[in-house]
Amino acid sequence: MTSTSGRSPISADEALAALQRDEWGRLLSLLVARTRRLDLVEDALAEAFARAAERWPVEGVPESPMGWLYTTAHRLVIGRLRSEAVAGRKAPLLAVRADWSPPTEPGDDLPDERLHLILLCCHPALAPESRSALALRLVIGTPTDEIARLFLVPTPTMAARITRGKQKIVAAGIPLGAPVADELVARLDEVCRTIYLAFTAGYTPGTGPDLLRADLAGEAVHLAAVLAHVCPDAAQVRALRALLLLQHSRRDARVADGRLVTLDEQDRSLWHRDEIATGLAVLDTVDAADGYAEQLRLEARIAAEHCRAASPDDTDWSAIAARYGRLEELTGSPIVGLNRAVAVAEADGARAGLAVLAVLDESLRRHHRYAAVCGELAARAGDTALAVASYEAAIERCENEVELEHLRRRLAEQRLDDVP
């Protein structure tokens, strides 16, 4: 272990976890800018982290851990390039803008250099289904199976999309570098969508021991703030920032003693009121719009209804259900439909919510949260058999340990209620 002056010692595992979380995108962006070999950099950086995991527990965390990882990954890329030269193979290089100087320090050109990489991944020449997924993989380091879960597709399908996206960037000569104003505006929807997906991956992770990865969600909130600094007048950017602030403000109340705490049971004194105030103020500047900006505005207004309510009983569920209905019309999203079913149940009763669930897209029924919601609404409606079957299905499909424990408790409660 090692430490810097005035700080507690930090273990190698803790240091690597923090670097993976906070610096993956920055390191990848700097390496891509310097080497122009997108096909080699990701593997080299992963190998650098693997070597650090072997050496740092023995040798100690270096004085400049980010510098160690960067240097190790860069040497690995150079080694591969030399091997290719010996073999007579020359792979195509990533294009860069002629008038652009690659960032060498955080803060060059764009306030956060990860935005360079997000903008590269969100280029309109890439297939729409690949853009945000590729950015999540490269910039945030989100595992491919997690990205597949976010997009409701099988993992092999998502892996193929990401591979095609990386190949297209190089083959089509899509340049890395700060885009000119018109190009930036044209890509804003995809950039916002990517940041929102990154937030979702942290706020509701589908696998692992944590219900909430506040660190990852917080990084997305930071990127939204950076984007708002770059594009302060864009409606979708302001709506995104408001939405993420309002959602993230409730993070400390969502888990207690390792257990999931439902919205109606949360201790609202733990909500971050300063973030809520900022989010509401930003939201007040966003008027009704078109396209993705309107989708984000509607979601932010839904979040605002929750944040303004002093208690669960004060929540205007009818307004929330109506906004989810409008959002479903705009997006056709099955997940939005699932959320609408919950809101309708709160406003009009559990059986009304079950009626909404019954007509949702078949693809959603493979998702554990569909079964979980069905179980909850069936329990409220007094249909114990459906509740038990639904909770059993949700448990079979769920891979998040905190959610699993919550579902098992609810199933046990239903079985107890069913005992004569």
Side-chain angles (χ1 to χ4, degrees):
M1 295 190 296
T2 189
S3 64
T4 56
S5 178
R7 296 181 182 177
S8 300
I10 181 171
S11 72
D13 288 344
E14 291 170 334
L16 277 170
L19 287 161
Q20 175 79 33
R21 177 182 70 240
D22 300 333
E23 306 296 353
W24 174 276
R26 292 186 178 95
L27 285 165
L28 195 71
S29 179
L30 294 170
L31 287 162
V32 168
R34 184 170 179 185
T35 66
R36 298 171 63 188
R37 284 299 299 271
L38 186 62
D39 57 329
L40 301 181
V41 162
E42 188 179 7
D43 288 343
L45 187 55
E47 176 62 23
F49 270 92
R51 293 188 182 187
E54 292 177 355
R55 294 177 55 178
W56 291 6
V58 177
E59 300 173 6
V61 179
E63 287 296 321
S64 176
M66 187 173 173
W68 190 99
L69 289 164
Y70 175 86
T71 300
T72 300
H74 184 256
R75 286 173 177 167
L76 288 166
V77 174
I78 294 303
R80 286 287 303 276
L81 292 174
R82 286 172 178 161
S83 297
E84 288 179 2
V86 169
R89 174 177 174 265
K90 184 178 181 181
L93 296 176
L94 176 70
V96 297
R97 292 185 180 278
D99 59 350
W100 180 68
S101 297
T104 57
E105 297 287 344
D108 284 0
D109 296 327
L110 293 179
D112 187 317
E113 64 276 4
R114 286 173 295 180
L115 285 178
H116 287 295
L117 207 51
I118 293 176
L119 287 162
L120 173 72
C121 296
C122 293
H123 194 281
L126 293 174
E129 66 271 15
S130 298
R131 296 171 194 164
S132 293
L134 184 60
L136 286 173
R137 182 74 198 103
L138 295 181
V139 182
I140 308 296
T142 308
T144 302
D145 57 347
E146 273 294 295
I147 301 172
R149 182 188 66 83
L150 290 170
F151 284 85
L152 300 178
V153 299
T155 298
T157 299
M158 184 52 65
R161 287 182 186 178
I162 291 171
T163 297
R164 286 196 300 269
K166 288 190 284 190
Q167 292 170 344
K168 177 71 173 180
I169 285 174
V170 176
I174 298 171
L176 178 67
V180 297
D182 289 346
E183 290 178 325
L184 179 58
V185 170
R187 295 186 218 174
L188 275 182
D189 280 1
E190 287 295 335
V191 173
C192 288
R193 188 172 285 107
T194 296
I195 293 173
Y196 188 16
L197 284 167
F199 176 82
T200 302
Y203 199 69
T204 55
T207 60
D210 303 315
L211 177 73
L212 169 71
R213 287 190 56 193
D215 49 5
L216 178 56
E219 281 295 294
V221 174
H222 167 72
L223 285 173
V226 171
L227 189 61
H229 175 76
V230 176
C231 305
D233 298 325
Q236 65 268 58
V237 173
R238 283 182 279 124
L240 174 71
R241 185 168 181 238
L243 171 60
L244 298 196
L245 281 168
L246 294 171
Q247 295 277 39
H248 198 50
S249 70
R250 305 198 298 265
R251 59 192 176 275
D252 291 341
R254 294 183 63 214
V255 182
D257 299 324
R259 291 191 170 193
L260 180 153
V261 182
T262 57
L263 181 60
D264 61 311
E265 296 175 334
Q266 287 179 11
D267 180 354
R268 299 187 179 216
S269 69
L270 297 176
W271 293 3
H272 293 252
R273 293 293 166 183
D274 55 337
E275 295 175 12
I276 290 173
T278 302
L280 293 174
V282 173
L283 182 58
D284 284 342
T285 70
V286 185
D287 297 324
D290 297 317
Y292 193 52
E294 180 64 5
Q295 295 175 34
L296 291 171
R297 188 185 74 90
L298 286 168
E299 290 198 57
R301 291 190 68 191
I302 291 167
E305 290 290 347
H306 292 300
C307 289
R308 288 192 181 105
S311 71
D313 291 340
D314 295 327
T315 306
D316 189 345
W317 283 105
S318 294
I320 291 173
R323 287 176 185 140
Y324 271 128
R326 174 62 181 145
L327 194 57
E328 194 174 12
E329 290 175 1
L330 290 174
T331 65
S333 166
I335 294 294
V336 172
L338 182 63
N339 290 330
R340 182 170 69 87
V342 173
V344 168
E346 294 288 350
D348 302 321
R351 293 198 178 279
L354 285 169
V356 175
L357 282 182
V359 297
L360 291 180
D361 190 278
E362 285 287 336
S363 66
L364 187 63
R365 303 193 182 194
R366 298 190 300 268
H367 200 292
H368 79 274
R369 290 203 175 99
Y370 175 92
V373 169
C374 188
E376 182 64 29
L377 298 189
R380 293 186 194 180
D383 190 340
T384 304
L386 177 59
V388 168
S390 297
Y391 280 129
E392 287 175 341
I395 288 168
E396 183 179 344
R397 298 165 191 163
C398 183
E399 299 180 50
N400 182 274
E401 294 173 21
V402 178
E403 283 189 90
L404 268 173
E405 180 58 31
H406 174 77
L407 292 167
R408 287 172 181 141
R409 286 200 307 273
R410 294 294 291 129
L411 175 60
E413 290 166 2
Q414 288 306 300
R415 285 175 171 163
L416 282 174
D417 289 345
D418 198 32
V419 175

